Amino acid sequence: MTYLVLQILPYISVAVLVIGLLYRIGRWANGRIVHQITLTTPAPTTQTGAVVNIATEAIFFRSMFKTDKALWGGAWIMHIALFSVLGGHVLGIGTLGLQFYYIGLTSAELSEYLSNLLGTSFGIIMLLGLFYLLYRRMAINEVKQISAPSDYAHLLLLIAIVSVGNLMRFVPEWGIHYEPVRDYVVNLLTFAPVTADMEVMHKPLFVIHLLLVQVLMMILPFSKLLHIPGMFAHRWILTRPLVEPAPGLPGIPVGGSGHAVSSGQSTSGGVQ
């Protein structure tokens, strides 16, 4: 089982993730928008304006802040912690915790200490944010009514992943250092076999953590958790510059010049 999780399943999960993402993004990209539905006020008049609008939405969750500040507080903090943890994994494993040392901010020892401290802190913050979102689904009747079983399953999966990761940090003998993890990642990237003497083979919590992450990777493209790239597609539809007539209207070639190709089709009076 350990060999399956560490050697075979990583390639399967990455393949499912990549193919699933390409499929979903391809469907969004090829979808015809049959009405001009720019909803922002005022609507951006340039692509740069639309990009700025999307960026503020992605970074600050502006629409959520306007509509539900309690949800915004928990969701924004949780997502900031999530991306900090993901970035910390990449930098910590890639530099062996010396990222601050390499940019000249600290000594090597202090860099490794700060790397561990930040990872632990953001792990705790992320876990608290996930529990808050789970509490909302269970305690607020309006949210509970629109929650599907998959919503709870996704939250519980994320909570399990973060809990195991935090447990490895709080109990050092159950955890694993940067070096053996980087060696393992290098083996995967170079298609080298994972050998029995590698430390990752003897760390049960690491194996469980990786297994849960791989499950998440395989369900991500087919679940609501894909709202991160989906948000960009959705916000572009809502905030792109106003075009008359709307691309995708009957008789209007998609990506064309905007002139009707069938007799009697009006090209003016698009929805404002």
Side-chain angles (χ1 to χ4, degrees):
M1 181 65 179
T2 299
Y3 182 81
L4 173 67
V5 173
L6 294 178
Q7 182 71 76
I8 300 174
L9 199 56
Y11 299 112
I12 297 175
S13 58
V14 169
V16 172
L17 175 66
V18 172
I19 294 172
L21 286 176
L22 291 176
Y23 170 74
R24 292 292 297 276
I25 293 174
R27 290 194 62 185
W28 293 331
N30 292 323
R32 289 171 66 94
I33 308 302
V34 298
H35 298 290
Q36 179 58 261
I37 57 174
T38 301
L39 300 179
T40 53
T41 304
T45 58
T46 64
Q47 289 194 358
T48 300
V51 169
V52 171
N53 187 294
I54 294 171
T56 57
E57 187 68 36
I59 297 172
F60 300 110
F61 296 8
R62 184 179 58 186
S63 296
M64 186 183 295
F65 179 79
K66 292 179 179 179
T67 57
D68 191 335
K69 291 180 173 58
L71 173 60
W72 176 86
W76 187 78
I77 291 173
M78 190 279 290
H79 281 80
I80 292 297
L82 168 63
F83 288 111
S84 298
V85 168
L86 293 176
H89 275 60
V90 174
L91 289 175
I93 295 171
T95 66
L96 302 181
L98 301 180
Q99 59 268 39
F100 301 109
Y101 168 73
Y102 288 138
I103 61 177
L105 293 181
T106 67
S107 64
E109 294 77 11
L110 182 57
S111 178
E112 187 171 358
Y113 171 78
L114 289 176
S115 180
N116 290 325
L117 178 63
L118 289 173
T120 301
S121 300
F122 281 117
I124 295 172
I125 294 171
M126 184 178 173
L127 186 61
L128 293 175
L130 289 168
F131 274 121
Y132 172 71
L133 296 178
L134 180 62
Y135 165 78
R136 280 180 53 86
R137 289 202 177 274
M138 298 173 63
I140 301 178
N141 190 51
E142 293 82 357
V143 181
K144 186 176 182 179
Q145 289 179 350
I146 62 173
S147 296
S150 60
D151 296 321
Y152 296 101
H154 296 153
L155 280 172
L156 291 174
L157 176 59
L158 289 169
I159 288 172
I161 292 172
V162 178
S163 296
V164 174
N166 287 344
L167 191 57
M168 286 194 292
R169 288 189 175 274
F170 283 116
V171 186
E173 56 269 26
W174 292 353
I176 189 169
H177 294 291
Y178 291 122
E179 293 87 348
V181 177
R182 188 171 72 171
D183 292 342
Y184 166 66
V185 172
V186 170
N187 275 35
L188 288 181
L189 294 177
T190 58
F191 300 99
V194 178
T195 58
D197 62 326
M198 295 183 70
E199 187 174 340
V200 292
M201 292 287 288
H202 309 283
K203 293 292 183 177
L205 280 188
F206 175 80
V207 176
I208 294 173
H209 186 65
L210 184 61
L211 173 61
L212 294 173
V213 169
Q214 290 172 134
V215 171
L216 176 64
M217 291 170 62
M218 288 187 283
I219 69 172
L220 179 65
F222 315 103
S223 70
K224 294 179 183 179
L225 293 173
L226 198 62
H227 63 270
I228 297 174
M231 183 274 297
F232 287 98
H234 178 241
R235 295 306 303 181
W236 176 252
I237 292 171
L238 298 182
T239 63
R240 62 186 178 175
L242 184 65
V243 176
E244 295 189 61
L249 281 172
I252 304 301
V254 177
S257 61
H259 298 292
V261 296
S262 60
S263 60
Q265 175 69 44
S266 173
T267 60
S268 62
V271 178
Q272 298 297 319

